Amino acid sequence: HLALMKKTHTWMSDTGKIVVEYARPFWRDKGLSGSGISQSGPLIQLYDGSALGTTNAPAICGFLFGRHAHELRKHRATPAEVEKKVLHQLVQLFGEEAGSPLKVHRHVWLDDEFT
């Protein structure tokens, strides 16, 4: 089965997910949905990942994939470098408050053994 798994294309293989947690959903105060599509990256798709009615922190989630994910990997970007690029993009889209998250979570499927 291992040989078959290694030959099977995994559509998430060139994708990374970033979840940026904040103290409050400040983007809503500005009338923004927290969602978006970007051609310049590094995040290509973004959305408000806040779980309403839960105790989870408000969050902006996003995906990086394709050339953006491969470029970061090719240049061996550290998690801190990826975070810096993502926060810069979020500041451009949502304002200065986006640069001060509580926490940043990251998963890049390129780093997984079977993708």
PDB file of all heavy atoms in Angstrom, residues 45-60:
ATOM      1  N   GLN A  45      -6.533  32.456  -0.585  1.00  0.00           N
ATOM      2  CA  GLN A  45      -7.914  32.482  -0.117  1.00  0.00           C
ATOM      3  C   GLN A  45      -7.902  32.791   1.372  1.00  0.00           C
ATOM      4  O   GLN A  45      -7.140  32.196   2.119  1.00  0.00           O
ATOM      5  CB  GLN A  45      -8.594  31.126  -0.330  1.00  0.00           C
ATOM      6  CG  GLN A  45      -8.717  30.715  -1.757  1.00  0.00           C
ATOM      7  CD  GLN A  45      -9.289  29.304  -1.893  1.00  0.00           C
ATOM      8  OE1 GLN A  45      -9.227  28.502  -0.971  1.00  0.00           O
ATOM      9  NE2 GLN A  45      -9.833  29.006  -3.051  1.00  0.00           N
ATOM     10  N   LEU A  46      -8.764  33.713   1.774  1.00  0.00           N
ATOM     11  CA  LEU A  46      -8.859  34.093   3.178  1.00  0.00           C
ATOM     12  C   LEU A  46     -10.323  34.082   3.602  1.00  0.00           C
ATOM     13  O   LEU A  46     -11.203  34.366   2.785  1.00  0.00           O
ATOM     14  CB  LEU A  46      -8.333  35.516   3.397  1.00  0.00           C
ATOM     15  CG  LEU A  46      -6.908  35.790   3.000  1.00  0.00           C
ATOM     16  CD1 LEU A  46      -6.856  36.517   1.688  1.00  0.00           C
ATOM     17  CD2 LEU A  46      -6.260  36.600   4.068  1.00  0.00           C
ATOM     18  N   TYR A  47     -10.553  33.779   4.866  1.00  0.00           N
ATOM     19  CA  TYR A  47     -11.918  33.830   5.386  1.00  0.00           C
ATOM     20  C   TYR A  47     -11.894  34.046   6.891  1.00  0.00           C
ATOM     21  O   TYR A  47     -10.891  33.802   7.558  1.00  0.00           O
ATOM     22  CB  TYR A  47     -12.704  32.568   5.031  1.00  0.00           C
ATOM     23  CG  TYR A  47     -12.125  31.294   5.603  1.00  0.00           C
ATOM     24  CD1 TYR A  47     -12.579  30.782   6.809  1.00  0.00           C
ATOM     25  CD2 TYR A  47     -11.117  30.603   4.935  1.00  0.00           C
ATOM     26  CE1 TYR A  47     -12.050  29.623   7.341  1.00  0.00           C
ATOM     27  CE2 TYR A  47     -10.584  29.437   5.457  1.00  0.00           C
ATOM     28  CZ  TYR A  47     -11.056  28.954   6.655  1.00  0.00           C
ATOM     29  OH  TYR A  47     -10.524  27.805   7.177  1.00  0.00           O
ATOM     30  N   ASP A  48     -13.014  34.530   7.397  1.00  0.00           N
ATOM     31  CA  ASP A  48     -13.199  34.715   8.833  1.00  0.00           C
ATOM     32  C   ASP A  48     -13.381  33.327   9.430  1.00  0.00           C
ATOM     33  O   ASP A  48     -14.389  32.666   9.188  1.00  0.00           O
ATOM     34  CB  ASP A  48     -14.418  35.591   9.084  1.00  0.00           C
ATOM     35  CG  ASP A  48     -14.644  35.906  10.556  1.00  0.00           C
ATOM     36  OD1 ASP A  48     -14.142  35.160  11.425  1.00  0.00           O
ATOM     37  OD2 ASP A  48     -15.332  36.898  10.836  1.00  0.00           O
ATOM     38  N   GLY A  49     -12.404  32.882  10.178  1.00  0.00           N
ATOM     39  CA  GLY A  49     -12.449  31.552  10.773  1.00  0.00           C
ATOM     40  C   GLY A  49     -12.955  31.549  12.198  1.00  0.00           C
ATOM     41  O   GLY A  49     -12.779  30.573  12.910  1.00  0.00           O
ATOM     42  N   SER A  50     -13.584  32.635  12.606  1.00  0.00           N
ATOM     43  CA  SER A  50     -14.126  32.712  13.960  1.00  0.00           C
ATOM     44  C   SER A  50     -15.318  31.788  14.072  1.00  0.00           C
ATOM     45  O   SER A  50     -16.176  31.754  13.200  1.00  0.00           O
ATOM     46  CB  SER A  50     -14.582  34.146  14.267  1.00  0.00           C
ATOM     47  OG  SER A  50     -13.548  35.061  14.004  1.00  0.00           O
ATOM     48  N   ALA A  51     -15.366  31.032  15.134  1.00  0.00           N
ATOM     49  CA  ALA A  51     -16.495  30.140  15.374  1.00  0.00           C
ATOM     50  C   ALA A  51     -17.472  30.864  16.288  1.00  0.00           C
ATOM     51  O   ALA A  51     -17.266  30.941  17.497  1.00  0.00           O
ATOM     52  CB  ALA A  51     -16.016  28.837  15.973  1.00  0.00           C
ATOM     53  N   LEU A  52     -18.510  31.422  15.711  1.00  0.00           N
ATOM     54  CA  LEU A  52     -19.492  32.173  16.502  1.00  0.00           C
ATOM     55  C   LEU A  52     -20.157  31.276  17.541  1.00  0.00           C
ATOM     56  O   LEU A  52     -20.473  30.127  17.278  1.00  0.00           O
ATOM     57  CB  LEU A  52     -20.544  32.780  15.580  1.00  0.00           C
ATOM     58  CG  LEU A  52     -20.016  33.799  14.566  1.00  0.00           C
ATOM     59  CD1 LEU A  52     -21.138  34.243  13.639  1.00  0.00           C
ATOM     60  CD2 LEU A  52     -19.422  34.997  15.279  1.00  0.00           C
ATOM     61  N   GLY A  53     -20.343  31.822  18.722  1.00  0.00           N
ATOM     62  CA  GLY A  53     -21.013  31.084  19.766  1.00  0.00           C
ATOM     63  C   GLY A  53     -20.117  30.078  20.482  1.00  0.00           C
ATOM     64  O   GLY A  53     -20.603  29.241  21.226  1.00  0.00           O
ATOM     65  N   THR A  54     -18.808  30.145  20.231  1.00  0.00           N
ATOM     66  CA  THR A  54     -17.888  29.243  20.923  1.00  0.00           C
ATOM     67  C   THR A  54     -16.902  30.077  21.731  1.00  0.00           C
ATOM     68  O   THR A  54     -16.916  31.292  21.681  1.00  0.00           O
ATOM     69  CB  THR A  54     -17.086  28.386  19.921  1.00  0.00           C
ATOM     70  OG1 THR A  54     -16.155  29.221  19.236  1.00  0.00           O
ATOM     71  CG2 THR A  54     -17.996  27.697  18.923  1.00  0.00           C
ATOM     72  N   THR A  55     -16.028  29.397  22.427  1.00  0.00           N
ATOM     73  CA  THR A  55     -15.001  30.103  23.193  1.00  0.00           C
ATOM     74  C   THR A  55     -13.712  30.253  22.379  1.00  0.00           C
ATOM     75  O   THR A  55     -12.720  30.754  22.897  1.00  0.00           O
ATOM     76  CB  THR A  55     -14.690  29.359  24.505  1.00  0.00           C
ATOM     77  OG1 THR A  55     -14.272  28.030  24.180  1.00  0.00           O
ATOM     78  CG2 THR A  55     -15.907  29.325  25.411  1.00  0.00           C
ATOM     79  N   ASN A  56     -13.730  29.825  21.123  1.00  0.00           N
ATOM     80  CA  ASN A  56     -12.538  29.956  20.280  1.00  0.00           C
ATOM     81  C   ASN A  56     -12.252  31.420  19.996  1.00  0.00           C
ATOM     82  O   ASN A  56     -13.164  32.248  19.891  1.00  0.00           O
ATOM     83  CB  ASN A  56     -12.725  29.214  18.964  1.00  0.00           C
ATOM     84  CG  ASN A  56     -12.817  27.714  19.154  1.00  0.00           C
ATOM     85  OD1 ASN A  56     -12.431  27.186  20.194  1.00  0.00           O
ATOM     86  ND2 ASN A  56     -13.341  27.036  18.170  1.00  0.00           N
ATOM     87  N   ALA A  57     -10.983  31.743  19.847  1.00  0.00           N
ATOM     88  CA  ALA A  57     -10.580  33.119  19.550  1.00  0.00           C
ATOM     89  C   ALA A  57     -11.012  33.494  18.135  1.00  0.00           C
ATOM     90  O   ALA A  57     -11.029  32.648  17.240  1.00  0.00           O
ATOM     91  CB  ALA A  57      -9.065  33.248  19.684  1.00  0.00           C
ATOM     92  N   PRO A  58     -11.341  34.764  17.917  1.00  0.00           N
ATOM     93  CA  PRO A  58     -11.611  35.226  16.558  1.00  0.00           C
ATOM     94  C   PRO A  58     -10.364  34.974  15.702  1.00  0.00           C
ATOM     95  O   PRO A  58      -9.234  35.095  16.194  1.00  0.00           O
ATOM     96  CB  PRO A  58     -11.858  36.720  16.723  1.00  0.00           C
ATOM     97  CG  PRO A  58     -12.226  36.893  18.158  1.00  0.00           C
ATOM     98  CD  PRO A  58     -11.478  35.831  18.902  1.00  0.00           C
ATOM     99  N   ALA A  59     -10.564  34.625  14.444  1.00  0.00           N
ATOM    100  CA  ALA A  59      -9.424  34.269  13.610  1.00  0.00           C
ATOM    101  C   ALA A  59      -9.667  34.578  12.143  1.00  0.00           C
ATOM    102  O   ALA A  59     -10.799  34.543  11.673  1.00  0.00           O
ATOM    103  CB  ALA A  59      -9.103  32.787  13.763  1.00  0.00           C
ATOM    104  N   ILE A  60      -8.585  34.877  11.464  1.00  0.00           N
ATOM    105  CA  ILE A  60      -8.568  34.931  10.001  1.00  0.00           C
ATOM    106  C   ILE A  60      -7.801  33.689   9.567  1.00  0.00           C
ATOM    107  O   ILE A  60      -6.701  33.423  10.058  1.00  0.00           O
ATOM    108  CB  ILE A  60      -7.845  36.189   9.470  1.00  0.00           C
ATOM    109  CG1 ILE A  60      -8.573  37.466   9.888  1.00  0.00           C
ATOM    110  CG2 ILE A  60      -7.674  36.115   7.960  1.00  0.00           C
ATOM    111  CD1 ILE A  60      -9.835  37.767   9.130  1.00  0.00           C
TER     112      ILE A  60
END
